[in-house]
Amino acid sequence: MSTATEALTPEQVLALPAMPAVKQAFAAMNIGEGTGYQLIRDGEFPIPVVEFGRAKRVRKTELCAFLGLSQSAAVEVQSTAATNDGAPGVQPGAPSQQSESTRASK
């Protein structure tokens, strides 16, 4: 039986841990669990699967390479997430912390 899993966005894929579970890889690739596990059993899954006991995982670097997502994009996503741009009530480009000189002048 295949369960419907919502596909991951590129940003969500880049935020995955270094060794995501194959179910997360299936979601990143927008394929169902049944199809994904069948491809693994048949030796046709497009990226290597690493087994730790019963747990099956993939390497994030290989998943990103298969999907055409570069690691430089990961750095950009993390950098963008660290800024205040788009936060309610905060002007775009505003610093996230006050500098020492600003605090000292108050």
Side-chain angles (χ1 to χ4, degrees):
M1 183 172 148
S2 177
T3 58
T5 305
E6 191 159 332
L8 299 179
T9 65
E11 292 79 17
Q12 290 171 320
V13 173
L14 293 170
L16 289 173
M19 295 288 291
V22 292
K23 287 183 181 183
Q24 293 170 304
F26 301 158
M29 299 166 80
N30 198 22
I31 61 173
E33 286 182 30
T35 300
Y37 283 116
Q38 186 64 50
L39 289 170
I40 291 170
R41 280 191 298 276
D42 293 345
E44 295 180 10
F45 198 67
I47 54 178
V49 175
V50 180
E51 295 188 33
F52 298 102
R54 294 179 65 192
K56 291 177 176 34
R57 300 195 174 271
V58 297
R59 290 176 185 87
K60 177 179 164 182
T61 54
E62 292 173 347
L63 176 62
C64 288
F66 176 78
L67 296 173
L69 300 174
S70 68
Q71 288 303 98
S72 62
V75 172
E76 186 177 317
V77 168
Q78 291 170 351
S79 166
T80 302
T83 66
N84 286 329
D85 293 345
V90 177
Q91 291 183 337
S96 59
Q97 296 179 354
Q98 287 183 336
S99 65
E100 283 297 318
S101 62
T102 306
R103 280 188 234 137
S105 66
K106 287 187 175 184

